[in-house]
Amino acid sequence: MTLSTTPLLNGKSLMHLKRAGLKRLVLSLDGPTPELHDSFRGTSGSFARTLDAMHCANAIGLPVQINTTISRQTINELENILSVVKNFRIVMWTLFFMVSTGPAGAADLPSPDELESAFVKIYELAQQVPFNIRTTEAQHHQRYLLQQRSQPEEKLAYPGPGILPINENKGFMFISYTGEVQPSGFLPVSAGNVRNDSVRDIYRDSELFQQLRDSTNLHGKCGDCEFREICGGSRARAYALSGDIFAEDPSCAYIPRTRRKEKVGLAIHLGRHCQ
């Protein structure tokens, strides 16, 4: 259960939740200091209440997961945030790579190169901690992990979530509070409603989910990429910024192999022409 750190979240309420059968408490930490976290969350005192909740959960043996949003404000704070998280017993640190809408929201998105650098940092940090680190809406992180595994001399100590083709269509779905079944909570496109249809039938047979599973529908470099079956890009981010659910993910710095060959061929052709 993901909870906001209001004054109601205290030792007493956490004990009630544990006794009721809660298996994991999920809290957000978006900065290593009160100034950064509270500014990001827009609520004064949120940082202190989050740490208090973590202390209480540890004291009563309630497993804790920490979520952190990756934006321009937080992408360079990963190591500092981890220095705070490491003071507690947690089972997972989930990094949510921002999905925003419109020009104003896009300004908060890290650049593709910044995200690629973040993958390197996450890889390094994950080998230093006893808990799992998971990424959300960073399907190209799977590509990065696969690239590390493909190097014979590289022993991958951090298996991450496993290199599985889990995306907004494969092995995942989201049900809104109104019953709408979506490919993810960040992709507000409905494939059906649980009030009218079986969740199983929506997931297996709806036109939306079937189209998303077919990688030949991908446009731009996502459609050309040799990693499209394992990654496929963030359909939520593509839709948020372009309005096209199948557009290329604008947050990816990787150039597909076929496009690199085309550039080499063009350079050779131009060179001959100039001669």
Side-chain angles (χ1 to χ4, degrees), residues 97-110:
F97 284 68
M98 178 174 278
V99 174
S100 56
T101 58
D108 291 328
L109 292 176

Side-chain angles (χ1 to χ4, degrees), residues 9-15 18 25 27 48-64 88-89:
L9 188 64
N10 51 40
K12 183 177 180 180
S13 60
L14 286 173
M15 182 59 77
K18 183 183 179 183
L25 171 69
L27 301 169
R49 287 195 293 269
T50 298
L51 267 56
D52 285 345
M54 293 167 69
H55 275 298
C56 290
N58 280 180
I60 64 175
L62 180 61
V64 177
F88 302 88
R89 295 191 307 277

Side-chain angles (χ1 to χ4, degrees), residues 24-233:
R24 182 181 299 183
L25 171 69
V26 184
L27 301 169
S28 294
L29 188 66
D30 294 304
T33 64
E35 293 77 18
L36 288 173
H37 175 85
D38 291 358
S39 173
F40 188 88
R41 284 282 147 185
T43 304
S44 179
S46 176
F47 181 84
R49 287 195 293 269
T50 298
L51 267 56
D52 285 345
M54 293 167 69
H55 275 298
C56 290
N58 280 180
I60 64 175
L62 180 61
V64 177
Q65 172 182 321
I66 296 299
N67 291 350
T68 297
T69 301
I70 304 300
S71 69
R72 280 193 180 276
Q73 299 176 56
T74 61
I75 195 166
N76 294 319
E77 297 289 344
L78 290 176
E79 198 162 4
N80 293 329
I81 294 173
L82 182 59
S83 68
V84 176
V85 171
K86 286 166 66 175
N87 294 319
F88 302 88
R89 295 191 307 277
I90 72 167
V91 295
M92 183 175 290
W93 186 25
T94 300
L95 306 175
F96 284 81
F97 284 68
M98 178 174 278
V99 174
S100 56
T101 58
D108 291 328
L109 292 176
S111 70
D113 288 338
E114 287 174 322
L115 291 180
E116 205 71 17
S117 296
F119 294 160
V120 177
K121 176 58 67 176
I122 293 166
Y123 181 80
E124 294 172 354
L125 295 177
Q127 298 180 66
Q128 305 170 18
V129 297
F131 47 82
N132 292 326
I133 297 180
R134 183 177 68 182
T135 59
T136 296
E137 289 302 335
Q139 286 80 355
H140 40 336
H141 181 238
Q142 299 288 72
R143 181 261 304 160
Y144 175 82
L145 288 179
L146 188 59
Q147 287 176 307
Q148 305 313 302
R149 287 191 178 185
S150 68
Q151 301 174 21
E153 72 277 9
E154 178 75 21
K155 182 179 179 182
L156 187 64
Y158 163 47
I163 299 178
L164 298 173
I166 297 176
N167 202 331
E168 302 123 323
N169 56 76
K170 299 174 181 176
F172 190 87
M173 67 177 172
F174 175 83
I175 303 175
S176 76
Y177 72 96
T178 60
E180 299 295 333
V181 180
Q182 302 169 191
S184 88
F186 301 96
L187 183 56
V189 180
S190 177
N193 193 292
V194 296
R195 294 186 174 117
N196 306 317
D197 300 292
S198 158
V199 171
R200 181 188 61 186
D201 292 342
I202 294 172
Y203 177 76
R204 290 180 176 178
D205 304 323
S206 68
E207 182 179 6
L208 176 60
F209 274 91
Q210 290 195 34
Q211 287 177 340
L212 284 168
R213 290 190 192 104
D214 184 355
S215 65
T216 64
N217 288 322
L218 296 176
H219 302 159
K221 69 178 184 180
C222 283
D224 296 336
C225 187
E226 63 270 24
F227 292 101
R228 64 182 178 274
E229 297 296 344
I230 205 73
C231 170

